[in-house]
């Protein structure tokens, strides 16, 4: 092993707004915030998602290869149908099927929790 993954960094025009979107979506709290860099993670000593200011960010257009998706996240949920209105209420936009885009245009998928994974919302 050479290293260990620290953060997945996502360029965007408004790091604070996008971090808040993903914080609500995943339940991960904001653990660090500055004007151009915001992190969500389990706590301030774990890896997570970081959102970096990119003032020249070009919004992806999925599935157009001229403006590629740049990255996408698979978000595991207990019930895809129940999660859909919740992510839309957060500001996501549905693209097709279980594919949505975040407020900065990055695609993400809602995926049903595999049987081997513990419930997202135990209880």
């Amino acid at each position: 092993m050479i290293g260990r993954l620290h953060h997945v960094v996502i360029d965007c025009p408004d790091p604070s707004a996008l971090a808040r979107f993903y914080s609500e979506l995943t339940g991960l709290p904001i653990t660090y915030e500055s004007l151009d860099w915001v992190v969500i993670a389990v706590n301030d000593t774990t890896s997570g998602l970081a959102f970096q200011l990119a003032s020249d960010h070009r919004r992806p257009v999925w599935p157009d290869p001229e403006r590629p998706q740049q990255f996408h996240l698979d978000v595991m949920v207990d019930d895809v149908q129940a999660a859909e209105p919740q992510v839309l209420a957060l500001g996501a936009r549905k693209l097709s099927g279980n594919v949505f885009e975040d407020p900065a245009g990055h695609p993400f998928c809602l995926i049903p929790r595999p049987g081997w994974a513990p419930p997202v919302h135990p209880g």
Side-chain angles (χ1 to χ4, degrees):
M1 176 171 72
I2 295 173
R4 186 176 68 231
L5 182 65
H6 183 47
H7 294 310
V8 174
V9 180
I10 301 170
D11 286 354
C12 59
D14 186 343
S16 181
L18 199 57
R20 290 184 201 313
F21 172 84
Y22 279 105
S23 177
E24 289 291 323
L25 178 63
T26 64
L28 293 172
I30 292 174
T31 57
Y32 177 84
E33 186 166 8
S34 69
L35 291 176
D36 60 356
W37 183 266
V38 183
V39 175
I40 65 171
V42 172
N43 57 49
D44 63 359
T45 61
T46 59
S47 300
L49 293 175
F51 304 90
Q52 174 176 265
L53 177 64
S55 55
D56 60 347
H57 179 260
R58 288 188 66 212
R59 184 181 190 94
V61 179
W62 183 87
D64 183 353
E66 293 299 315
R67 302 267 305 268
Q69 64 180 338
Q70 302 166 9
F71 80 95
H72 84 266
L73 299 174
D74 285 344
V75 178
M76 182 189 311
V77 296
D78 291 322
D79 181 334
V80 172
Q81 289 182 330
E84 181 175 327
Q86 295 173 312
V87 300
L88 294 174
L90 289 177
R93 188 171 75 89
K94 186 169 184 160
L95 296 175
S96 70
N98 293 342
V99 182
F100 298 81
E101 69 175 9
D102 68 26
H106 303 109
F108 68 93
C109 299
L110 294 180
I111 62 164
R113 178 181 54 83
W116 53 262
V120 175
H121 297 287

